[in-house]
Amino acid sequence: MNHIEIENYFITVRREAISCEFAHLNDMQIEATLATQGPLLLLAGAGSGKTTVLINRIANLLKYGSGSDSEYVPDYVTEEDLSFLESYIKHQSDGAKIKTKDTSEQGIINSPSDESQARMQNICAVDPVEPWRIIAITFTNKAAGEMKERLSRMLGPESEDIWAMTFHSACSRILRRDIDRLGYDRSFTIYDTADSASLMKRILKDIDVEEKSLPHRTVLGYISRAKDALISAEEFSAEAENGSDIRRKIIGRAYLEYVNRMKASNALDFDDLLLLTVRLLKENSDILEHYQKRFRYVLVDEYQDTNKLQYLLASALAGGHGNICVVGDDDQSIYKFRGATIENIMSFEKHFKDARVIRLEQNYRSTGFILAAANDVIRNNEGRKGKKLWTENESGSKPELHITENERTEAQFVADTIIASMKERHNWRDHTVLYRMNAQSNQLETAFKRSGVPYRVIGGTGFYERAEVKDMLAYLCIINNPQDDVRLLRIINNPPRGIGDTSIGRLAELAAQLNCPIFNAIGESPKYDNLKNAAGRLFQFADMIEELRDAANTLQLDELYEQLINRTGYIRMLEEKDTIENLSRIENVRELKTNIINFINENNNSGSLFDFLSETALYTDLDRDDNSADRVSMMTMHSAKGLEFDTVFIVGAEEGVFPGSRVIGDPAEIEEERRLCYVAITRAKRKLYLTSAKQRMLFGKTTAAEPSRFVREISHDNIDVHGQLNSFDIYDYESPEDVSDTHSIRVTSRPPQRPRSRNSNYRVSIPESRETLPDFKKGDVIKHATFGRGVITNLAPGGGDALLEIVFDDIGTKRFMLKSAAKYLSKE
């Protein structure tokens, strides 16, 4: 071979040798892992192993740099090196492991010797990157934690220097270094949604706006959208004042006041973290240059969920080297209501010239029939890049649509099906129920309680939302940043210190008059007649805070927290009322110390109070959820994104519920709802049930319903229908003339004949059952189909039913409603 041929051959062999290290991946995953240079869009379908690709891609960058994707040939390469690589490839190919699901931390069977591995890396590596020059951004702390854990398993200690974190955590770190350029102190406080809501309520009250006429959430929504569009409070207010919309003028004034009070408190909300970071980089070329030089590679997960500010941030950080890799799925873009724009992923090639697009379509999660149903639904969307999931998994059983009479029979069907599944040795946690609206959980909870099904509702009150935990965090926030008015007002008289609401109101007015934080106004209180009586108690509070601030400079965080508990007397206050509720609250206050100790350990006995507060402020509901408990989970479809379950129930698959009546007629909104249906379907691994009620009571009103259009889009070859439809619903199996050339269920709807009524809401009377109660009595030894042998210890009739209490041999005491439980009981 001549010199040119040798170089070309070496480039080919080098790439093949590197790819041997990732033989556990499928072909498209390998291609994505080895594509190291320039902009890259990974269209990753549900369950396609995108996290696996990210982990392996980072490993490739650290070990081989751009070796797999470069045309550079070093001068020192010899024919002997080529022979070595050929031998290395043959050795690995002969023993390559069968590709299996998510084996990102495994090697191949014929592991090379350390000497061979070192030589191969020395020949193939081209400018390998240092860990601290990679930033991998995701959306939740849970996802970031999983990424860090898997990187640590695969790469060892060097993974600790990779910036694997959420958008907000990355922004917090950047701002902590340079936010003083924007006029803030580096010890800023981060407000969560509850803090922002509390502040906005006060602002609206101060400007005499009633919550009923203009809810605080509405105002905060306008502000969030304005920030994402880079519209300042001054610009928004000026535009509103020039218009005729009174409501918008009020929002403009509230926006201005919100920004001013946040700045005075040295506080940032979640939107500010993004907005101020973008501003910092935009207005300070030296800071932008610093981060552009630092980060050679920028990776962004869940790119379809990004908003404008997140796009601007990612593109700014990648502006130095141009190596940006985004992973996402346009078919799973479901957070428009949070400001996410599908346009970011749809226009990636437009935003980043010469971008490569790689599709990950092999699904490792679901059975064939479940994927076929998902593909049937999503192909009806026009605004998508297009891909089709496939799997090597078995076909499995078809998804099932169950038509029920109403929401009560629907809930009982779900409970009964789960109990039947338990007989097949599944766990409760293997099942999840997904719904479009939180209100739908009502009847499900009732049915689960009656039938003895243990469950959890995700999205309820999490640990960090509990009042006592927020109180202790408020104290820590004030120790870190005394200018935080919202947190100060929460704890200034909590526990009670004789500082009444009147004095607090006067102090707040004084702070506004002096244009200073409330904490600073305490020092001026003795000078004003209306505060003289309270000044002593105010000074005691301020002295306590200053002493704790001094202690924060010398004590470990856990020691500081113990001192905080003792100095404030918070637990002593709870102990004064010896109730079960207060005992639980004391436990929660103590439990926060566990989190502090874990934080210290995770940060190698370091980490500041600011860092701990930032981390806790950035948790999401799913981050806080306990996945270890063996219970059926119930959640909205939005909350289910990123999760997977053996068995999934999608309840309320009806027109007017899913999709909701408010979006019917809006093509763009229907497409978002269809993407939500696609997400819900692809959570299922083995079994998928959909339910549709003929009539449903929601919010006190009963209406007739027909199956959702999304169900009707599933080919009849891919779904089994159970139950009788409404008389005005006719299922007709025809072959629509479309490019898919698949059979679909078509529902022809005739207008229902409704009874005449002065009330426009169609109400249906359902007669109460008069069936006699089963013949069980206290002391009976029984056997339950799921829970085994037990003894009835109490049976209390009432309301045509009876509360049954049974002590089981294996699981202890459980309570049921007799009618619901009878079908699973037999006397021994």
Side-chain angles (χ1 to χ4, degrees):
M1 291 188 291
N2 61 37
H3 181 68
I4 299 297
E5 289 174 332
I6 291 176
E7 286 190 348
N8 290 336
Y9 183 59
F10 172 75
I11 292 170
T12 300
V13 171
R14 177 174 62 191
R15 180 180 175 89
E16 190 173 347
I18 295 174
S19 71
C20 286
E21 187 135 343
F22 305 100
H24 53 283
L25 305 177
N26 67 44
D27 292 342
M28 299 311 292
Q29 288 176 332
I30 291 176
E31 184 177 342
T33 298
L34 302 187
T36 65
Q37 299 302 293
L40 173 65
L41 167 61
L42 299 181
L43 280 177
S48 62
K50 65 183 178 64
T51 306
T52 293
V53 172
L54 284 177
I55 299 300
N56 281 274
R57 193 169 188 276
I58 291 172
N60 181 39
L61 293 171
L62 294 177
K63 197 167 187 179
Y64 298 105
S66 61
S68 60
D69 203 27
S70 172
E71 295 185 1
Y72 168 74
V73 178
D75 295 335
Y76 55 78
V77 172
T78 64
E79 289 192 19
E80 184 185 351
D81 291 330
L82 277 174
S83 297
F84 168 79
L85 290 181
E86 289 171 340
S87 175
Y88 179 91
I89 293 168
K90 184 178 186 305
H91 180 72
Q92 301 308 313
S93 298
D94 289 344
K97 179 183 281 188
I98 297 173
K99 298 168 186 175
T100 57
K101 177 187 174 184
D102 197 6
T103 54
S104 58
E105 288 84 40
Q106 298 183 22
I108 54 180
I109 289 177
N110 286 358
S111 299
S113 66
D114 291 342
E115 183 179 348
S116 294
Q117 182 66 42
R119 183 177 180 187
M120 197 277 283
Q121 185 174 349
N122 184 57
I123 296 172
C124 295
V126 177
D127 197 15
V129 65
E130 302 90 339
W132 53 269
R133 303 192 71 179
I134 296 175
I135 181 169
I137 311 175
T138 186
F139 272 80
T140 67
N141 284 290
K142 182 178 180 180
E146 179 188 354
M147 186 180 295
K148 288 178 183 177
E149 181 182 343
R150 292 176 62 176
L151 283 169
S152 177
R153 289 203 306 265
M154 191 174 195
L155 304 172
E158 67 175 330
S159 67
E160 295 175 7
D161 292 329
I162 297 170
W163 277 40
M165 58 187 63
T166 65
F167 270 104
H168 292 112
S169 295
C171 290
S172 179
R173 183 179 291 193
I174 292 171
L175 290 173
R176 177 72 187 276
R177 180 178 180 267
D178 291 303
I179 197 172
D180 52 321
R181 297 276 193 101
L182 300 176
Y184 289 80
D185 189 271
R186 293 181 181 179
S187 61
F188 59 84
T189 297
I190 300 174
Y191 278 10
D192 62 17
T193 51
D195 298 321
S196 296
S198 177
L199 176 58
M200 183 51 68
K201 288 177 183 177
R202 283 177 43 220
I203 290 172
L204 293 176
K205 183 178 179 181
D206 291 345
I207 61 177
D208 296 324
V209 176
E210 293 185 1
E211 177 76 13
K212 290 182 179 179
S213 61
L214 185 57
H216 70 277
R217 289 182 179 176
T218 300
V219 180
L220 288 171
Y222 272 91
I223 292 173
S224 180
R225 289 188 289 274
K227 288 181 178 179
D228 185 47
L230 300 176
I231 301 173
S232 68
E234 291 77 12
E235 291 171 325
F236 186 98
S237 181
E239 182 270 332
E241 291 297 331
N242 290 330
S244 57
D245 189 336
I246 301 298
R247 180 184 172 95
R248 197 171 178 84
K249 289 181 180 181
I250 295 173
I251 294 172
R253 290 197 287 272
Y255 187 3
L256 275 172
E257 189 62 23
Y258 179 79
V259 169
N260 290 336
R261 295 194 191 187
M262 290 285 286
K263 183 72 178 291
S265 296
N266 197 39
L268 279 62
D269 62 21
F270 290 158
D271 292 321
D272 289 330
L273 289 172
L274 295 166
L275 176 63
L276 294 185
T277 304
V278 170
R279 264 191 59 197
L280 182 70
L281 299 177
K282 186 176 181 180
E283 297 174 8
N284 298 274
S285 58
D286 59 323
I287 297 176
L288 175 61
E289 184 179 358
H290 166 79
Y291 286 105
Q292 287 184 338
K293 284 183 176 179
R294 177 190 180 112
F295 296 125
R296 277 180 55 193
Y297 292 94
V298 175
L299 297 90
V300 183
D301 194 11
E302 303 289 3
Y303 192 66
Q304 77 282 346
D305 294 334
T306 54
N307 59 24
K308 181 177 180 179
L309 285 173
Q310 288 160 336
Y311 156 72
L312 291 173
L313 175 62
S315 58
L317 294 177
H321 297 275
N323 296 322
I324 181 170
C325 169
V326 304
V327 186
D329 183 0
D330 52 310
D331 290 333
Q332 296 189 71
S333 179
I334 59 173
Y335 293 124
K336 183 180 179 181
F337 68 97
R338 292 183 186 171
T341 171
I342 194 174
E343 183 61 25
N344 286 347
I345 195 167
M346 296 297 288
S347 301
F348 182 81
E349 298 100 310
K350 178 181 176 182
H351 294 155
F352 300 94
K353 301 300 182 185
D354 301 320
R356 284 184 276 186
V357 180
I358 297 175
R359 287 171 167 79
L360 304 179
E361 298 174 303
Q362 183 175 359
N363 176 283
Y364 292 98
R365 175 188 299 155
S366 306
T367 60
F369 273 125
I370 290 172
L371 290 186
N375 286 329
D376 284 344
V377 172
I378 200 61
R379 69 160 58 97
N380 291 277
N381 269 9
E382 294 182 3
R384 61 190 296 257
K385 284 183 169 290
K387 65 181 178 310
K388 185 175 181 179
L389 295 182
W390 61 277
T391 185
E392 293 180 348
N393 295 340
E394 61 182 13
S395 296
S397 57
K398 291 183 182 181
E400 298 179 19
L401 169 64
H402 287 261
I403 310 293
T404 66
E405 291 298 320
N406 52 51
E407 74 281 356
R408 287 177 292 172
T409 53
E410 172 189 65
Q412 194 58 52
F413 161 75
V414 174
D416 291 345
T417 305
I418 292 174
I419 290 174
S421 172
M422 293 297 292
K423 297 177 185 177
E424 301 174 8
R425 300 186 181 277
H426 293 109
N427 295 312
W428 298 111
R429 72 170 71 92
D430 294 335
H431 308 81
T432 192
V433 186
L434 306 181
Y435 37 75
R436 184 62 181 85
M437 297 177 286
N438 279 304
Q440 290 173 255
S441 72
N442 182 19
Q443 291 298 323
L444 289 160
E445 290 191 66
T446 300
F448 284 1
K449 287 175 181 176
R450 285 175 173 269
S451 301
V453 175
Y455 69 91
R456 56 178 176 166
V457 179
I458 293 178
T461 303
F463 179 75
Y464 286 102
E465 276 77 48
R466 292 166 184 164
E468 59 275 13
V469 177
K470 289 186 75 69
D471 289 342
M472 301 314 292
L473 287 173
Y475 272 108
L476 291 172
C477 286
I478 292 300
I479 293 170
N480 176 66
N481 172 25
Q483 299 174 6
D484 185 344
D485 286 352
V486 168
R487 266 55 176 273
L488 185 139
L489 290 175
R490 183 182 183 95
I491 50 96
I492 193 172
N493 195 43
N494 183 17
R497 299 184 175 89
I499 306 173
D501 291 343
T502 301
S503 296
I504 293 173
R506 290 170 179 171
L507 182 64
E509 290 174 3
L510 176 60
Q513 179 183 330
L514 298 175
N515 194 27
C516 70
I518 292 175
F519 189 82
N520 293 2
I522 292 176
E524 304 298 318
S525 59
K527 301 177 184 177
Y528 295 84
D529 292 338
N530 62 353
L531 282 170
K532 278 185 178 179
N533 292 336
R537 294 183 290 274
L538 290 171
F539 268 62
Q540 287 178 354
F541 170 76
D543 289 344
M544 177 187 70
I545 295 300
E546 289 294 356
E547 290 171 12
L548 290 169
R549 281 174 59 78
D550 290 339
N553 294 323
T554 58
L555 298 178
Q556 278 258 91
L557 280 180
D558 56 333
E559 297 170 339
L560 172 66
Y561 186 67
E562 275 297 330
Q563 189 161 328
L564 167 64
I565 291 174
N566 294 331
R567 291 286 283 112
T568 60
Y570 194 92
I571 285 184
R572 290 194 296 274
M573 171 192 70
L574 296 175
E575 289 173 338
E576 289 176 1
K577 292 185 178 180
D578 187 15
T579 63
I580 294 177
E581 180 183 1
N582 273 10
L583 178 61
S584 176
R585 296 180 69 190
I586 291 170
E587 290 173 348
N588 290 334
V589 172
R590 294 290 187 196
E591 182 61 20
L592 183 58
K593 185 176 179 180
T594 301
N595 294 13
I596 292 173
I597 293 172
N598 288 337
F599 170 80
I600 293 170
N601 293 336
E602 289 167 4
N603 288 274
N604 299 319
N605 293 320
S606 63
S608 66
L609 174 59
F610 171 88
D611 294 330
F612 173 73
L613 293 172
S614 297
E615 183 173 294
T616 57
L618 298 176
Y619 273 100
T620 67
D621 287 342
L622 287 177
D623 291 327
R624 301 164 188 147
D625 188 57
D626 176 16
N627 289 319
S628 62
D630 190 17
R631 293 173 288 168
V632 176
S633 56
M634 300 165 55
M635 67 190 85
T636 64
M637 298 176 197
H638 283 99
S639 297
K641 182 142 183 310
L643 304 178
E644 60 181 42
F645 299 89
D646 177 84
T647 302
V648 170
F649 296 84
I650 299 175
V651 298
E654 302 139 26
E655 290 291 295
V657 176
F658 184 48
S661 55
R662 287 182 295 180
V663 305
I664 293 176
D666 185 331
E669 293 291 342
I670 287 292
E671 292 216 344
E672 175 114 347
E673 291 283 288
R674 187 176 283 112
R675 290 194 292 270
L676 186 58
C677 183
Y678 176 80
V679 167
I681 291 173
T682 54
R683 299 312 93 194
K685 296 163 66 176
R686 186 183 63 88
K687 287 289 293 183
L688 174 65
Y689 298 92
L690 302 101
T691 63
S692 176
K694 294 181 183 179
Q695 59 191 34
R696 180 178 300 276
M697 179 181 287
L698 268 178
F699 314 118
K701 299 177 181 179
T702 301
T703 56
E706 63 175 287
S708 167
R709 68 190 66 195
F710 305 142
V711 174
R712 290 177 270 149
E713 289 168 353
I714 300 175
S715 162
H716 72 277
D717 291 329
N718 295 327
I719 191 169
D720 286 333
V721 180
H722 301 267
Q724 190 174 359
L725 298 163
N726 279 330
S727 59
F728 55 90
D729 288 334
I730 302 173
Y731 267 77
D732 183 20
Y733 301 99
E734 293 187 352
S735 178
E737 295 179 0
D738 63 10
V739 294
S740 64
D741 212 21
T742 58
H743 291 71
S744 296
I745 300 174
R746 181 169 63 84
V747 176
T748 306
S749 298
R750 296 195 297 269
Q753 300 300 311
R754 299 185 177 180
R756 297 187 181 185
S757 172
R758 292 181 181 179
N759 187 343
S760 60
N761 296 310
Y762 176 36
R763 292 182 173 272
V764 179
S765 297
I766 302 176
E768 291 292 327
S769 170
R770 299 188 180 276
E771 60 187 290
T772 58
L773 291 177
D775 182 23
F776 288 106
K777 62 182 183 296
K778 184 176 178 180
D780 281 350
V781 178
I782 55 86
K783 184 175 182 181
H784 189 282
T786 300
F787 303 118
R789 182 183 181 279
V791 177
I792 298 176
T793 57
N794 194 25
L795 195 152
D801 205 340
L803 177 64
L804 194 65
E805 185 176 276
I806 304 174
V807 177
F808 290 99
D809 294 346
D810 296 329
I811 64 170
T813 302
K814 290 187 75 70
R815 294 177 178 84
F816 310 88
M817 295 309 293
L818 180 53
K819 285 184 181 178
S820 298
K823 69 188 79 170
Y824 306 112
L825 298 175
S826 60
K827 291 183 182 180
E828 281 206 343

